[in-house]
Amino acid sequence: MSICGDLYEVHTSQLVFVIAIYEISNENIMRECYDSEAAWGSDNEYCSDITRNDEGNIVKTLQREHNLDELTARGYDVVATYKYDIGSYGNLLFKLYYNHIIENSQTYKGLDGNSVTSQYAGYGRSKDKAAMSIVWKMDDLRIRWRTNYVGAFKASQEDEKDYLEYVAANDERCAAGGADCIANPEPLAYQDYGSFLKHSLSASYTLALTDKSDLRVFGGINNVFDDKGAFYPSGRGNFYSGYGGGAGRYVYLGAQYSF
């Protein structure tokens, strides 16, 4: 048996996008209303975006499109394929795709004239995702194993910032011996999500019926190990869309007739 390999492609890329119109975060809307040097109140356009109830609690924040200085997304992709020819046993094809986000930022000019830049990489979505597959093909038979990877991420930048401020204030109370000191504050709930792997198996066989027609039979198992990922309170069905939206293991079969 002879084994040989051919490297098909490996490439990386980095993209930077600059656009002029986009929304800004709720955190920045409240900053422009309450924390900027501009006067707050009905004459402040950002204060007009915040609605409170009779008790003073915020019940709605209006998202509008604003003229921004810059909206930047930078990262790189790596795509590689490698094929092994194993003679009478067919061939093996390896594929790898990897994406990494370096920067996801937004810059706009605030009401006080200063440029405000917010970094969002790693919040709400992972900085890293990848997919790897191994395909064995011999004549008309094809079997593929695929693994998808999503890296760890944090759910909310705003919630984390508020939580760290509360912890810092609590540490000061504890250092001063305050009665309202919380000795072991709980971590922020539903904030940190670890990496996730999903595996799938598929197979197909093509049978030539005549010179002009053939029958392809296929089937497989998606999410072989029935891993739905961690509970995600704001996702579809309480599961993160990047994990597959809570879709567990399922089996499928099918056939395709071509003529």
Side-chain angles (χ1 to χ4, degrees), residues 200-251:
S200 300
L201 175 67
S202 63
S204 66
Y205 184 80
T206 302
L207 177 66
L209 301 178
T210 67
D211 293 341
K212 296 183 179 180
S213 65
D214 57 54
L215 176 66
R216 177 175 171 266
V217 181
F218 59 89
I221 306 174
N222 277 359
N223 199 352
V224 174
F225 300 110
D226 196 29
D227 189 353
K228 302 181 181 67
F231 178 85
Y232 191 77
S234 59
R236 184 180 65 186
N238 296 132
F239 290 99
Y240 177 55
S241 61
Y243 296 161
R249 180 194 305 116
Y250 64 91
V251 179

Side-chain angles (χ1 to χ4, degrees), residues 17 20 29 46 75 104 109 122 128 153 166 169-170 186 224 249:
F17 300 100
I29 290 174
Y46 293 95
N104 179 18
K109 183 171 291 186
D128 301 282
F153 68 97
Y166 295 147
N170 180 70
E186 295 182 358
V224 174
R249 180 194 305 116

